[in-house]
Amino acid sequence: LKDDITFTHCLFMDDDASCEVESIRRTLALLEYSITPKFSVAGALLRELEPYRLHEKGATFDGACRPLKHGLDMRDVNHLLLAEIVDVEPHYGAWWFFAFAIKDVQNYPFPFFVRGDDCQFGSLNHFSVCTMNGISSWGDDFALKSGAMTMYLDARHHLLNSMFLLETGFGVIISTMIKLFLGQLFSYNYASAHSMSLAFAHIMKGPKFWVDNIDMSKIREEISSYASS
């Protein structure tokens, strides 16, 4: 690369997501011509196992992550039109496909998140999130990736993001956590329920916990033991 090249924009895309090149071309065109302050482009996520099924087209966060336009069938013209209607403004775009101007970044992602960093990054930087039919990617179902470790990370980011992003009471946060915990407990996913309890305990330890567990080696070892217990 030449020394005089200046990068102006960035596209975040998960390594387990895929897209057509046309999605990137359209995103580039939008970024080149948009005059909207803090403009960003969030690609929709379609199911890889059911390629026409829309999982999310932007998302909101109110203590839990809420996918917008979830479940629509992109083969149906009526659903296509519904997907294009902006009835709820997205708070953020997930990182399976999220493009933005580098100059608009004022807050970096929380460096200790593995899940939930996209939610916090988009919300704290107050991007104007654009979604549109024709810019999308495909990804594995979340259920295929679910397990004790992922539920630990999910619980941890829901707790911390609720404290950082929302002006809400302690009761609302506890209510969200109870719902997440009971969902695992009543599905007989006891290892996942156990790992969520561990996440609650770790959050209560405060900032020093994050610094002391950057590599998470001890946590991974402990959670791995749940499946065999």
Side-chain angles (χ1 to χ4, degrees):
L1 293 177
K2 297 180 180 179
D3 293 337
D4 59 351
I5 292 178
T6 300
F7 295 100
T8 59
H9 291 75
C10 180
L11 171 63
F12 284 167
M13 191 170 183
D14 289 338
D15 58 4
D16 58 352
S18 61
C19 76
E20 297 285 351
V21 173
E22 186 62 27
S23 288
I24 298 176
R25 289 198 184 104
R26 293 173 182 179
T27 298
L28 181 60
L30 286 171
L31 293 172
E32 283 181 329
Y33 291 103
S34 173
I35 59 173
T36 302
K38 299 183 76 70
F39 182 80
S40 65
V41 179
L45 181 67
L46 299 162
R47 293 185 64 202
E48 198 166 73
L49 296 179
E50 199 180 14
Y52 51 83
R53 187 72 60 189
L54 185 60
H55 172 76
E56 179 176 308
K57 194 166 178 280
T60 61
F61 183 79
D62 61 359
C65 297
R66 311 284 186 188
L68 300 176
K69 311 298 183 178
H70 177 74
L72 295 180
D73 184 342
M74 296 294 95
R75 299 172 300 178
D76 187 313
V77 174
N78 290 326
H79 284 199
L80 276 173
L81 295 174
L82 286 173
E84 199 71 337
I85 296 172
V86 181
D87 46 2
V88 178
E89 292 288 342
H91 293 164
Y92 68 97
W95 285 357
W96 46 70
F97 195 108
F98 186 66
F100 56 92
I102 296 172
K103 65 178 177 58
D104 290 334
V105 176
Q106 296 175 313
N107 297 282
Y108 293 134
F110 188 56
F112 306 104
F113 273 172
V114 180
R115 295 170 77 93
D117 40 9
D118 48 8
C119 172
Q120 189 184 85
F121 179 74
S123 299
L124 285 179
N125 284 294
H126 304 289
F127 290 111
S128 176
V129 181
C130 170
T131 67
M132 63 177 291
N133 290 342
I135 297 179
S136 61
S137 61
W138 289 277
D140 292 334
D141 285 7
F142 290 100
L144 298 176
K145 308 172 189 177
S146 183
M149 191 68 213
T150 54
M151 292 312 300
Y152 168 84
L153 296 170
D154 271 349
R156 203 169 70 166
H157 96 70
H158 274 91
L159 274 169
L160 201 60
N161 279 339
S162 292
M163 288 187 274
F164 268 113
L165 302 177
L166 303 179
E167 296 181 5
T168 187
F170 185 67
V172 175
I173 296 173
I174 291 299
S175 175
T176 299
M177 290 303 101
I178 289 175
K179 290 177 183 177
L180 290 172
F181 177 81
L182 292 181
Q184 297 303 310
L185 185 65
F186 292 142
S187 299
Y188 307 106
N189 295 322
Y190 298 130
S192 294
H194 193 174
S195 70
M196 293 182 75
S197 298
L198 183 67
F200 304 156
H202 285 168
I203 287 289
M204 298 297 289
K205 291 185 178 182
K208 190 174 184 299
F209 161 78
W210 303 93
V211 177
D212 292 343
N213 294 276
I214 293 176
D215 63 2
M216 290 183 57
S217 56
K218 292 181 180 178
I219 297 173
R220 292 180 186 278
E221 183 178 344
E222 180 175 355
I223 293 176
S224 294
S225 71
Y226 296 166
S228 57
S229 61

